[in-house]
Amino acid sequence: MLAASSRWRAAVHHATSAARRLSSGSVTITDPLNYWAGRRRAGQEKCSTENVYEPATGRILCHLELCGADEVNQAVKAAKSAFGYWSKMSGMERARIMIDAAHIIENRREEIAEMEVVNNGKSITEARLDVDSARLCIEYYAGLASTLAGQHVQLAGGSFAYTRREPLGVCAGIGAWNYPFQIAAWKSAPALACGNSMVFKPSPVTPVTAVLLAEIYAKAGAPEGLFNVVQGGQETGSLLCHHPDVAKVSFTGSVPTGQKVIMEMASKGIKPVTLELGGKSPLIIFEDSDVENAVKGALMANFLSQGQVCSNGTRVFVQKDILPEFVDEVVKRTRAISIGDPLLESTRMGALVSRLHLDKVLFHVQQAKAEGAKVLCGGEPFVPSDPKLRGGYYMSPCVLGDCTDDMTCVKEEIFGPVMSVLSFETEEEALRRANDTTLGLAAGVFTRLETSRAHRVVEHLKAGSCFINNYNVTPVEVPFGGFKMSGIGRENGQVTIEFYSQMKTVFVEMGDVDSLF
C-alpha cells in the first residue's frame, strides 16, 4: 500500500545515496525480539521457539522466542503502568514525543527498510515507501493529538452538559506479515495520540522490525511500557485479546482468523474491535480508459509486495472492445518485471514470504489451469542466477486469461502475484459481477471520458476503499477499511480517533432537583 504515487516515483528515481548496510544471506539475528517496560526481553529457559526464515534465501534468520501467559502479563502490566502517566499528559506533550519518533524514523529510513526486506522479502524500493508511510502516520496523528476535544451543550435553566473524549486504556495490536513495520505504526499512532498504551504482536513470520519501532518510541521520550512487543502465534494472540486489562483489540489478518477473534471477543465479554481483513477486490476498466494508464493501474493493483496485499484488485474486469489491447500490453509489462534479490535497486519483485505460502500460490495457478483459465504469462517457480538466492521463495508474476466468475481463482483470495482478467459488456453487468462476493475491502474504476460514470459506479460498488483512475494509493490522511466480511472499523484518517477513544457525557444541574417523588 502506497502513501502516494508521487512517493513511488521519488523512490524509484531517487534511490538512497547511502551505502548498502546489508546484503541478502548475510544477516543472522541473535538479539531478543520481545520488548516491554523499556527494553528487549530474553525468553525464559523453557520457552518455546520457532525458526524465522529469510525469504530471499530460505536461510534461518533467527529463532523466535514465543510469549506465554507470564510474558503477556508482564507486557500488559507495563502498558497499564505507562497508560497512567501517558493518559494524563496534554495532547501537545504527547505530540512532541510522537514527532520526535517520526524524525528518528526518517533518519533511520534506510536501516529500517533494509531490515524489512530481509524479514519480508519485498523490494527495497517498496520497503522504503512502507517506512515513509509509518513515519507519515505518526506525524499525522501527532498533529491530531492536541485537537481531541468534547462538546458543550447549553440546556434550560442555565444547566448544561459537556462531553469528554477519553482514552480506552491498554490496546492490543495484532499485525500481519505483509507490512510489518507499517502496520505497527498504523495501529500505534492513533492509539498513542488518544492517550492509550499498546501491546503489539507481530506475525511470527515477520517478527523483526516491530521491536525497532518500540525502541524508537522509547528513544523519543515515551514512558517505559507505552509500546510493547510480544512475539508468538495464535496462542499468544489469544492470551493478549482475552487479557482482562486489555481494553481494545485491533487485528489485521485473514478473514477466518478475524472471525475467530470477533466471535471469541463477543462470547467472553465486550471489547471494541477493529478488524482489517482480506479482500477479493474488483478493478473495472471501461473502453474509454487510457489503456496504458489502466495497465499501469492493474499492475499496481496486483503485483505490489509480490501480490501479498489485502486490497489488491485481482479481479480485473475489462470492457470487451479493449480486451485484446489491454491483455497484450499487461502481459508484455508483466513479463518485463525484474525478479530477484530484493536488496538490489533494480529489483521490482522480491520473494514471497514463505515456502508454504509460495506453494499455496503456485497451487492456485495450477488449479486455475485445471478449471479452464489460460496462463498468459508467469505462474512458475523462479530460480535466480545468484547461487545464494536459489533457496528463496520466488515465482514469476502471473496473468490468467479466459477467466469466469465461478473459477476458484476469481472467487478466493490468492494473496500472491496472480491477476485474473475477465471481460464484460455493460456497466450494469460489471457492477453486478464486481459486487458478487462476500468481501468488500477495495475496488477500482478506470474511465477517462465519462467522469459522471466513475462516480456513479463507485456509488454502487460495495467496498470500503475505492479508487478512480489509480489503485493501491493509501495516504494516511484518509480512512482505510472494508465493507462486509472485509472488516470492522477503519485505520488512518481522522475517523480512526473514534475507534481508539470513548465518549463520556456529563450533565451539570445549576438549579434544584425537580423530583417526581
Side-chain angles (χ1 to χ4, degrees), residues 27-351:
V27 179
T28 300
I29 295 170
T30 57
D31 291 338
L33 297 176
N34 290 296
Y35 185 102
W36 58 82
R39 63 184 178 88
R40 296 191 186 221
R41 303 282 174 164
Q44 297 179 0
E45 199 171 306
K46 296 182 180 179
C47 78
S48 301
T49 62
E50 286 183 4
N51 291 337
V52 177
Y53 296 91
E54 180 183 20
T57 64
R59 301 169 54 248
I60 293 177
L61 184 62
C62 64
H63 303 288
L64 184 66
E65 296 175 333
L66 310 181
C67 288
D70 288 345
E71 291 81 10
V72 170
N73 283 335
Q74 291 177 49
V76 173
K77 182 180 179 181
K80 187 176 180 180
S81 176
F83 170 73
Y85 176 78
W86 182 254
S87 61
K88 291 180 173 59
M89 293 171 66
S90 70
M92 286 291 287
E93 290 173 317
R94 294 198 293 268
R96 278 195 292 269
I97 290 173
M98 294 177 69
I99 288 292
D100 285 348
H103 289 162
I104 295 169
I105 291 171
E106 187 171 27
N107 292 334
R108 295 176 60 184
R109 180 191 192 224
E110 196 67 12
E111 171 199 348
I112 299 167
E114 288 179 3
M115 193 56 72
E116 193 82 324
V117 170
V118 168
N119 196 195
N120 171 272
K122 67 176 64 184
S123 73
I124 185 63
T125 303
E126 286 193 46
R128 291 188 189 113
L129 296 171
D130 295 353
V131 176
D132 290 345
S133 178
R135 171 182 58 82
L136 289 167
C137 185
I138 294 170
E139 288 179 352
Y140 175 74
Y141 284 107
L144 291 182
S146 63
T147 70
L148 305 185
Q151 181 183 19
H152 177 275
V153 181
Q154 188 62 49
L155 302 173
S159 296
F160 62 93
Y162 64 91
T163 60
R164 292 169 48 92
R165 184 161 292 284
E166 299 182 350
L168 298 168
V170 178
C171 298
I174 299 178
W177 47 253
N178 54 343
Y179 288 88
F181 190 80
Q182 178 180 294
I183 289 174
W186 278 22
K187 293 190 184 302
S188 62
L192 302 191
C194 290
N196 303 291
S197 58
M198 177 167 277
V199 180
F200 184 78
K201 189 197 81 66
S203 165
V205 180
T206 53
V208 173
T209 52
V211 71
L212 300 181
L213 182 60
E215 292 176 330
I216 286 167
Y217 279 133
K219 188 173 182 180
E224 289 187 359
L226 185 67
F227 182 79
N228 310 275
V229 178
V230 293
Q231 304 286 357
Q234 287 192 5
E235 181 181 349
T236 307
S238 182
L239 289 167
L240 187 57
C241 289
H242 297 140
H243 196 287
D245 289 330
V246 167
K248 184 237 167 57
V249 176
S250 178
F251 170 84
T252 297
S254 68
V255 173
T257 306
Q259 287 178 301
K260 187 172 184 287
V261 169
I262 193 68
M263 290 178 68
E264 288 190 0
M265 292 283 87
S267 66
K268 297 184 180 180
I270 297 176
K271 291 182 183 181
V273 176
T274 295
L275 300 177
E276 199 275 277
L277 307 178
K280 192 65 184 176
S281 301
L283 175 59
I284 303 173
I285 300 173
F286 286 99
E287 61 188 358
D288 67 332
S289 301
D290 178 324
V291 172
E292 182 180 356
N293 205 44
V295 166
K296 290 192 291 184
L299 295 172
M300 293 294 285
N302 280 271
F303 298 140
L304 283 175
S305 294
Q306 299 75 253
Q308 300 165 144
V309 182
C310 52
S311 57
N312 270 359
T314 54
R315 294 184 295 145
V316 181
F317 293 93
V318 184
Q319 203 154 18
K320 189 174 182 180
D321 287 349
I322 63 166
L323 180 63
E325 181 185 2
F326 174 88
V327 168
D328 286 347
E329 186 63 21
V330 84
V331 168
K332 182 175 75 174
R333 294 285 293 268
T334 300
R335 284 176 172 155
I337 293 173
S338 174
I339 313 165
D341 189 340
L343 281 170
L344 294 182
E345 297 292 344
S346 59
T347 296
R348 287 295 168 268
M349 183 170 289

